[in-house]
Amino acid sequence: MALAQKLLVDIHTHVYLPRYAALLRARSAVPRILSAPAGERLLILDHEPSGGRPVGPQYWDREEKIGFMDRHGIDVSVVSSANPWLDFLQPDDAQRLATELNDDLEAYCAQSPSLSGGMKRLYGFGLLPLVPGVPIPALLESVDQISKLPHLKGVILGTRGIGAGLDDPSLSPLWGALSSANLVAFLHPHYGVGDAWGPRDNGHVLPLALGFPFETTAAATRLILSGALDAHPTLKILLAHAGGALPQLSSRLASCIDHDPVVASRLAHDARWYLGKLHFDAVAYGPEELGFVSDVVARSAQFGDKKTAGFGYTVDRKLGSRNMLFGTDHPFFPPLSNTDKWRSVVENLQAIDAVSGWGDAEKDGVRGGNALALFGLA
Amino acid sequence: MALAQKLLVDIHTHVYLPRYAALLRARSAVPRILSAPAGERLLILDHEPSGGRPVGPQYWDREEKIGFMDRHGIDVSVVSSANPWLDFLQPDDAQRLATELNDDLEAYCAQSPSLSGGMKRLYGFGLLPLVPGVPIPALLESVDQISKLPHLKGVILGTRGIGAGLDDPSLSPLWGALSSANLVAFLHPHYGVGDAWGPRDNGHVLPLALGFPFETTAAATRLILSGALDAHPTLKILLAHAGGALPQLSSRLASCIDHDPVVASRLAHDARWYLGKLHFDAVAYGPEELGFVSDVVARSAQFGDKKTAGFGYTVDRKLGSRNMLFGTDHPFFPPLSNTDKWRSVVENLQAIDAVSGWGDAEKDGVRGGNALALFGLA
């Protein structure tokens, strides 16, 4: 256990399983993988700048994933399918493919190397057939399947649910089933929010740097406003990209709710309280961002009551670190030139190491111990 | 000067001048002021929940503004027209009205009471006729008019420029003129970003708590990416609502830029450096948010070079406070019941007082001293 807490665990790392990549190759519309003279290219957005991005074995080969982990000292990865998941499929196809891909991912993990002590190097987040028109019982069957696959420890979710978002009341049984099965729901963006990017060519920068976190922020906020976190107090939600903008906008959110009695009446707590119920990956690329997320988690306990405490409290930044977990976003954000280590990964590790107010215990926790606890691996 | 630095100065406080309110009353489309049995109602968004918000003299009467200031101990206010400004007008009407409203605002301030020492209690941000089709020279004439009105110290801007956003290269002369005139450009949202709010009725909460700050974030980011802050190094930009999500997404933005050589090549500095060039109102409703904004301003100096410093620096949170300024957002966010003081204002003052790591000098600066310096009032 002392040793286990020193492991480096990557909880934000993606794969297009071979079955999924084959599906993308067979498609004539986005999302698709296109064959091109200089190699295959991936198109996942409707208006992909510069004809999509190069795609190769780092997206589907387990050996490539393990090689990447070895190069960066990552002991264990909790792998998830990359967006857009099954969003573009009809319900029948989505259900069939979810089942097949969950079995594929189980095999991908089960056949991975073991660490001394028996822990595998790969675990996974399963897929649910979250598309418009799918019956809720089909979602619950998927949760049941995943809960019985020993190396799958959660599910990855987009933000659209079955078409009406994650605040759709008909999803309540899903949150209940995920809670009961003790599966972590990893909430991840794909569509972005808005088209406020203007005519200037800024490549992927604006939709990725802003649109993605905006989407996560809106989805998580809607989930809070729906009361789902009150109704399902043991539900484990993990937010991509350190929760996007939710931490920085959470006091403004609380103030806007305070000024709307109808919305306020639906919630048991001040908006800031719910941030302590959430988990955040540490994919934020800067130590000040991580320290701030840690602060908003730590302060959450002060906001159980809707009356503000007048801010007469002391925040112990160390406490908030428990809800934060290292991630890489591999195989996205690859280096521009051939380097041994990926800059995006190195920066996220350096950022964890540089958070002011975190000691070794907190840093070790964010690097791995918190993930072992959240996913029940240790 | 020692006394002046103890003043409480509100730099985010709005007015619909009587001439503007009359215009809104005469309109049959949004934005408009509607007469209703229980009093006038303001509709400024296309799909205003619950038939608009009650509107009354607190929106246009100077005596109401002074009364609000007196109740909250605010010595000086730098008043700006509220959104949507002149956005909905044709160029000729926008130009004429900008000129008239700037003269009106000058009179509104000039005829306000004085503090002992001669400082007025009211100063203002002027309006520019920023609408599609307006000739650039007309914008420069407006800047010239404002620069000659002694109580106007800046301009308030929406995010759309003359239709193509604030990163529109044709606006470069405007940034130059504002810099030369030493006028502060207050960047404020109106439209929000996205419609990711779903079918559930959450009142104004999502567009106000999230959409507004998303819009400011996108506009400020586009301004950074356009190189305007490199080309106009003395341009003074003030961001509403503590910069929205820009501080929390700034390291992600830097990482996304690093991974796009074309965009990176256009900028002289790492994205985080530009946050130190910006000013932020302290309208964030929480001390952790304010402390974090202070951190990202303080760290900015470490990112003048595009090579990351590996985060091997120490952040002096005190330094960042110099770019932050108290605001109320009056007359928006009114209390739900009749109270002496507005909760939204009290919370913003309490938040400033509770920022960990700020001493009295920093808190006094944020409450007023920084505004006196930025607007050249002391």
Side-chain angles (χ1 to χ4, degrees):
Chain A
M1 187 68 186
L3 180 69
Q5 295 207 343
K6 292 285 194 183
L7 295 179
L8 185 60
V9 181
D10 179 3
I11 56 80
H12 189 156
T13 177
H14 297 298
V15 66
Y16 288 128
L17 289 164
R19 185 189 306 273
Y20 188 88
L23 169 72
L24 293 187
R25 283 191 194 97
R27 284 175 54 82
S28 56
V30 169
R32 64 188 298 202
I33 291 174
L34 205 66
S35 186
E40 291 187 314
R41 295 185 82 83
L42 171 69
L43 289 97
I44 52 175
L45 303 173
D46 274 339
H47 302 284
E48 192 87 34
S50 55
R53 64 193 93 195
V55 71
Q58 75 275 26
Y59 280 79
W60 40 77
D61 268 15
R62 184 173 53 213
E63 291 316 302
E64 291 274 339
K65 183 71 78 185
I66 299 281
F68 167 82
M69 291 165 65
D70 288 343
R71 269 200 307 290
H72 295 89
I74 297 167
D75 299 289
V76 175
S77 289
V78 189
V79 177
S80 49
S81 286
N83 47 300
W85 315 290
L86 308 172
D87 284 22
F88 51 92
L89 297 175
Q90 294 300 310
D92 284 356
D93 290 337
Q95 284 177 249
R96 180 178 47 76
L97 216 49
T99 306
E100 293 171 353
L101 289 167
N102 288 333
D103 285 334
D104 289 353
L105 186 60
E106 171 62 23
Y108 174 99
C109 299
Q111 293 162 19
S112 71
S114 296
L115 297 172
S116 65
M119 197 184 303
K120 286 288 177 187
R121 295 200 63 191
L122 297 175
Y123 292 90
F125 291 96
L127 282 175
L128 303 174
L130 280 164
V131 299
V134 78
I136 299 296
L139 298 176
L140 305 184
E141 279 170 37
S142 259
V143 172
D144 187 58
Q145 179 208 11
I146 292 165
S147 70
K148 290 173 176 158
L149 295 172
H151 297 89
L152 300 196
K153 300 298 179 184
V155 298
I156 185 161
L157 300 171
T159 61
R160 296 198 168 176
I162 55 173
L166 300 181
D167 52 359
D168 182 346
S170 68
L171 292 180
S172 185
L174 173 63
W175 307 129
L178 291 169
S179 301
S180 301
N182 201 23
L183 291 169
V184 177
F186 181 17
L187 179 51
H188 194 286
H190 170 68
Y191 299 95
V193 163
D195 54 353
W197 316 133
R200 209 180 166 102
D201 181 9
N202 288 307
H204 284 97
V205 170
L206 291 166
L208 270 188
L210 307 184
F212 260 39
F214 288 176
E215 182 185 358
T216 306
T217 305
T221 302
R222 286 172 56 181
L223 200 60
I224 291 171
L225 294 183
S226 77
L229 302 186
D230 290 322
H232 305 283
T234 61
L235 180 61
K236 294 173 172 175
I237 303 270
L238 170 64
L239 299 182
H241 313 117
L246 181 62
Q248 201 187 348
L249 301 180
S250 56
S251 289
R252 178 173 175 86
L253 175 63
S255 178
C256 288
I257 293 171
D258 282 344
H259 287 80
D260 188 322
V262 175
V263 177
S265 70
R266 296 206 306 255
L267 296 179
H269 307 280
D270 182 283
R272 285 163 280 204
W273 184 84
Y274 299 96
L275 276 77
K277 303 289 288 179
L278 301 170
H279 290 78
F280 299 84
D281 73 25
V283 181
Y285 307 98
E288 291 75 24
E289 285 83 351
L290 297 180
F292 172 62
V293 173
S294 195
D295 284 346
V296 300
V297 171
R299 80 176 176 193
S300 65
Q302 307 292 333
F303 291 93
D305 193 348
K306 283 197 199 178
K307 296 194 186 73
T308 62
F311 310 122
Y313 52 77
T314 303
V315 170
D316 180 358
R317 173 172 284 192
K318 287 185 166 68
L319 289 178
S321 69
R322 294 179 194 163
N323 290 28
M324 301 175 66
L325 306 91
F326 170 68
T328 62
D329 225 341
H330 180 261
F332 300 99
F333 293 82
L336 296 173
S337 55
N338 259 332
T339 53
D340 182 38
K341 294 195 177 187
W342 289 26
R343 178 169 174 175
S344 56
V345 179
V346 170
E347 284 181 351
N348 274 323
L349 284 170
Q350 287 175 333
I352 292 168
D353 202 50
V355 174
S356 169
W358 282 358
D360 287 344
E362 289 73 39
K363 294 172 187 175
D364 286 342
V366 175
R367 286 188 284 245
N370 300 340
L372 299 180
L374 181 65
F375 294 97
L377 297 177
Chain B
M1 187 68 185
L3 179 69
Q5 293 205 345
K6 293 283 193 182
L7 295 179
L8 184 61
V9 182
D10 180 2
I11 57 78
H12 189 157
T13 179
H14 297 299
V15 66
Y16 289 128
L17 291 163
R19 185 190 304 273
Y20 188 87
L23 170 71
L24 293 188
R25 282 191 194 97
R27 284 173 55 83
S28 56
V30 169
R32 65 188 297 200
I33 291 174
L34 205 64
S35 187
E40 292 187 313
R41 295 185 82 84
L42 172 68
L43 289 97
I44 51 175
L45 304 173
D46 275 337
H47 301 285
E48 193 87 31
S50 54
R53 64 192 93 196
V55 70
Q58 75 276 26
Y59 281 80
W60 40 79
D61 267 15
R62 184 174 53 212
E63 291 317 303
E64 291 275 338
K65 183 71 78 185
I66 298 281
F68 167 82
M69 291 165 63
D70 287 343
R71 269 200 307 291
H72 295 88
I74 297 167
D75 299 288
V76 176
S77 289
V78 189
V79 177
S80 50
S81 286
N83 48 299
W85 314 290
L86 308 172
D87 285 24
F88 50 93
L89 297 175
Q90 294 299 310
D92 284 354
D93 290 337
Q95 283 176 249
R96 180 180 46 77
L97 217 48
T99 305
E100 292 170 353
L101 288 168
N102 288 333
D103 285 334
D104 288 352
L105 186 60
E106 170 62 24
Y108 174 98
C109 300
Q111 294 160 19
S112 71
S114 297
L115 297 173
S116 67
M119 199 185 300
K120 286 287 174 187
R121 296 199 64 191
L122 297 175
Y123 293 89
F125 291 97
L127 282 175
L128 304 174
L130 279 164
V131 298
V134 79
I136 300 295
L139 298 176
L140 305 185
E141 278 170 38
S142 261
V143 173
D144 187 57
Q145 180 207 10
I146 293 165
S147 71
K148 290 174 177 158
L149 294 172
H151 298 90
L152 301 196
K153 301 297 180 184
V155 297
I156 185 162
L157 300 171
T159 62
R160 297 199 167 175
I162 54 173
L166 300 182
D167 52 357
D168 182 345
S170 68
L171 293 179
S172 184
L174 173 62
W175 307 129
L178 290 170
S179 302
S180 300
N182 201 24
L183 290 169
V184 177
F186 182 16
L187 179 52
H188 193 288
H190 170 68
Y191 299 95
V193 162
D195 54 356
W197 317 133
R200 211 182 166 99
D201 181 9
N202 288 306
H204 284 98
V205 171
L206 292 165
L208 269 189
L210 307 184
F212 260 39
F214 288 176
E215 182 185 356
T216 306
T217 306
T221 302
R222 285 171 57 180
L223 200 59
I224 291 170
L225 294 182
S226 77
L229 302 186
D230 290 321
H232 305 283
T234 61
L235 180 61
K236 294 174 172 174
I237 302 271
L238 169 66
L239 299 182
H241 313 117
L246 181 63
Q248 203 188 347
L249 301 181
S250 56
S251 289
R252 179 173 175 86
L253 175 62
S255 178
C256 288
I257 293 171
D258 283 344
H259 287 82
D260 189 321
V262 175
V263 177
S265 70
R266 297 206 305 255
L267 296 178
H269 307 281
D270 182 283
R272 284 163 281 204
W273 184 83
Y274 298 96
L275 275 79
K277 302 290 287 180
L278 301 170
H279 290 78
F280 300 84
D281 74 26
V283 182
Y285 308 96
E288 292 75 25
E289 285 83 351
L290 297 180
F292 172 61
V293 173
S294 195
D295 284 346
V296 300
V297 171
R299 81 177 176 191
S300 66
Q302 306 293 333
F303 291 94
D305 194 347
K306 284 197 199 180
K307 296 193 189 75
T308 62
F311 310 122
Y313 53 78
T314 304
V315 169
D316 181 357
R317 174 173 282 192
K318 287 184 166 69
L319 288 179
S321 69
R322 294 179 194 164
N323 290 28
M324 300 176 68
L325 305 92
F326 170 67
T328 62
D329 224 340
H330 179 263
F332 299 99
F333 294 81
L336 295 174
S337 55
N338 259 332
T339 54
D340 182 39
K341 294 195 175 184
W342 289 26
R343 177 168 174 175
S344 55
V345 178
V346 171
E347 284 182 351
N348 274 325
L349 284 171
Q350 288 176 331
I352 292 168
D353 202 48
V355 174
S356 169
W358 282 358
D360 287 343
E362 289 73 38
K363 294 172 188 175
D364 286 340
V366 175
R367 286 189 284 247
N370 300 340
L372 299 180
L374 181 65
F375 294 97
L377 297 178

